[in-house]
Amino acid sequence: MNQLRLLLLALLLACAGTSYAAKVDTLAIPSAVMHKAYRANVVLPAAYAKQKKANFPVLYLLHGAYGHFSDWLAKTPDRQLVHRLADQYNLIIVMPEGETFGWYIDSPVNKESQFETYITQEVIQKVDQTYRTVRDRKGRVITGLSMGGHGALYLSARHPDLFCAAGSMSGAVDINTAKWKLNPEDAKNTAARFEPILGPAGASPENYLTSYMVLPLVDKLKANGLPLIIDCGVDDFLINTNRELHQRLVYNGTPHDYTERPGGHTWEYWQNSLPYHVLFLHQVLQANAVTIPSTARQ
């Protein structure tokens, strides 16, 4: 009988522990500009269901190349990581679609690949219409991994009216694959993947890529004044270009948080990195007075 009571108590505690856990929505966000239907995962903190009159800040969390919107929930070794961070900081976390090689840019040659417009206009608008969000830049932050790190810095640099802080984990901040620490065959194959969205490289691949890279935006990043957090693993094939970005930001006097840690281009690295980013971004939101007080957390 005592064992039965203990079992029932354990079940009740388990139910109580999960009743107010972060909730995951799959939100349909069709794109008028691309004439396609896409989805996003939206993680709502437990407090969202309890605090009916509160407006919540939003983190846009971008996936990498060859991935999709569900990656951050399906591929981290700890599948509950994003849920816990949403609950810990009372933060809505939105993971939109960027396609396998969309790069969060508006392609000049492919009208079906317009992910800069999609994220900055269609996704944000849909999220703000659907949820109780802080509908202002002071309540929006953005970060991502690899292609998503590029996307977060690129979009925030070009749209400082939409975000108040940005980050990059292992970001592909220079999309000239000749500078990546890859074997020549892999670098060539990856470079070829850019042609459908950027057109033929021609005789000057550097000039062809410049308009869609983060590195040339360092003066824009300085002028915008957004708090930035950037990190990369020391064994990552993108480490050299991240170091170059850091050096350019130091040279032009742009304040930023830059870290190198052990690790490569892996989900183990990004799982370790994400909590640092969320803490950094939360502190910016807190300074903007848009966070939900800790007393409201469940």
Side-chain angles (χ1 to χ4, degrees):
M1 182 62 71
N2 285 338
Q3 288 182 336
L4 179 59
R5 287 176 178 172
L6 288 173
L7 178 59
L8 289 172
L9 178 60
L11 289 172
L12 286 171
L13 289 173
C15 290
T18 58
S19 294
Y20 300 107
K23 173 190 173 186
V24 180
D25 283 353
T26 300
L27 182 66
I29 310 178
S31 173
V33 69
M34 291 186 283
H35 309 289
K36 294 181 182 180
Y38 288 111
R39 293 178 294 166
N41 279 144
V42 180
V43 177
L44 300 171
Y48 186 86
K50 302 292 288 183
Q51 301 297 310
K52 300 293 187 181
K53 297 182 179 180
N55 295 327
F56 286 70
V58 182
L59 162 62
Y60 287 87
L61 182 58
L62 307 183
H63 67 78
Y66 309 105
H68 288 289
F69 72 95
S70 60
D71 281 7
W72 275 105
L73 297 182
K75 293 187 176 180
T76 51
D78 177 1
R79 298 290 193 269
Q80 295 297 307
L81 173 65
V82 177
H83 304 66
R84 283 202 309 277
L85 291 170
D87 276 342
Q88 182 178 354
Y89 294 104
N90 284 338
L91 187 66
I92 296 175
I93 302 179
V94 178
M95 291 152 283
E97 181 62 64
E99 274 291 8
T100 58
F101 221 73
W103 287 88
Y104 306 100
I105 65 171
D106 282 349
S107 167
V109 297
N110 184 350
K111 296 306 179 185
E112 294 188 349
S113 186
Q114 303 290 303
F115 283 94
E116 178 178 1
T117 296
Y118 177 63
I119 299 295
T120 59
Q121 296 182 26
E122 298 175 324
V123 172
I124 289 176
Q125 181 183 63
K126 180 67 172 180
V127 169
D128 283 349
Q129 289 173 346
T130 306
Y131 301 101
R132 286 180 281 106
T133 62
V134 177
R135 300 181 182 185
D136 187 273
R137 67 176 295 276
K138 67 182 180 181
R140 288 190 210 102
V141 292
I142 187 169
T143 190
L145 68 88
S146 193
M147 179 181 85
H150 159 275
L153 294 179
Y154 181 83
L155 295 177
S156 65
R158 290 169 57 82
H159 302 274
D161 56 313
L162 295 179
F163 306 100
C164 66
S168 170
M169 293 168 263
S170 311
V173 295
D174 185 338
I175 56 178
N176 182 358
T177 61
K179 294 183 179 180
W180 297 0
K181 293 175 67 176
L182 295 173
N183 66 61
E185 186 66 21
D186 287 343
K188 180 180 178 181
N189 290 339
T190 304
R193 291 290 305 269
F194 282 102
E195 188 166 321
I197 62 169
L198 294 181
S204 304
E206 187 69 30
N207 294 335
Y208 147 90
L209 297 170
T210 295
S211 296
Y212 302 97
M213 298 196 311
V214 172
L215 285 181
L217 293 173
V218 291
D219 289 336
K220 181 72 171 166
L221 290 169
K222 179 181 180 179
N224 292 342
L226 271 64
L228 303 172
I229 179 169
I230 300 162
D231 68 76
C232 192
V234 294
D235 299 316
D236 197 301
F237 66 89
L238 296 172
I239 186 63
N240 288 339
T241 53
N242 275 269
R243 286 171 176 166
E244 183 177 353
L245 174 61
H246 169 53
Q247 290 164 0
R248 290 192 185 195
L249 292 172
V250 169
Y251 182 79
N252 79 350
T254 305
H256 63 290
D257 186 306
Y258 177 78
T259 304
E260 294 181 9
R261 298 192 190 92
H265 212 72
T266 67
W267 280 101
E268 287 77 13
Y269 178 87
W270 301 319
Q271 174 171 287
N272 180 60
S273 180
L274 183 59
Y276 290 99
H277 279 242
V278 179
L279 173 59
F280 177 93
L281 298 170
H282 169 77
Q283 289 172 340
V284 176
L285 295 169
Q286 198 169 41
N288 290 344
V290 296
T291 53
I292 305 299
S294 58
T295 54
R297 295 178 188 164
Q298 300 300 318

